[in-house]
Amino acid sequence: MPDFIPVLTMEELPAEGFKAVEVQGRSILVGRLGGQMFAWLDRCPHAGAPLRIGKRRGEELTCARHGWMFNLLSGKAVPDAPGCELTKIPLQIDGSQISLNLTFISR
């Protein structure tokens, strides 16, 4: 199994925002804001809710279940709550192809 798995192209991604993709049975948020790319496990670390149904305002995403906010570029809770961060998914871009590495996520 390759370390990085192709999931979508840059053309399939909003210019400012994110898209949820299903990879190996996991939902992952892949996005870009202000030219920066990110990929996070689509799961609130507080209560496990899917973040894809939350509301985005600028760089912040609010969990729909309990209202916790996270910075989409850093993954940190807003306001900062040590130990409560989004799970980062390594990504790479080759041309217009976006690939993700999920090998470190335990099932």
Side-chain angles (χ1 to χ4, degrees):
M1 174 184 303
D3 287 343
F4 282 86
I5 301 164
V7 294
L8 72 160
T9 64
M10 293 294 282
E11 292 79 18
E12 296 172 284
L13 196 60
E16 289 288 316
F18 61 83
K19 181 175 184 170
V21 295
E22 194 74 23
V23 185
Q24 296 180 347
R26 301 282 188 154
S27 182
I28 309 295
L29 296 182
V30 180
R32 60 181 158 188
L33 292 171
Q36 295 184 54
M37 298 290 300
F38 59 86
W40 306 108
L41 186 61
D42 181 20
R43 186 171 184 269
C44 177
H46 170 233
L51 293 169
R52 68 184 169 275
I53 62 173
K55 301 252 189 232
R56 181 180 74 86
R57 182 179 216 162
E59 293 180 3
E60 294 178 354
L61 179 65
T62 302
C63 175
R65 186 165 293 162
H66 290 109
W68 281 34
M69 292 189 309
F70 299 91
N71 181 288
L72 284 169
L73 296 177
S74 70
K76 294 184 181 212
V78 180
D80 190 27
C84 190
E85 296 181 359
L86 301 179
T87 301
K88 186 174 186 166
I89 307 298
L91 67 81
Q92 71 179 22
I93 302 167
D94 184 15
S96 70
Q97 183 66 57
I98 302 168
S99 299
L100 302 176
N101 183 327
L102 283 85
T103 56
F104 71 97
I105 297 177
S106 61
R107 293 230 169 230

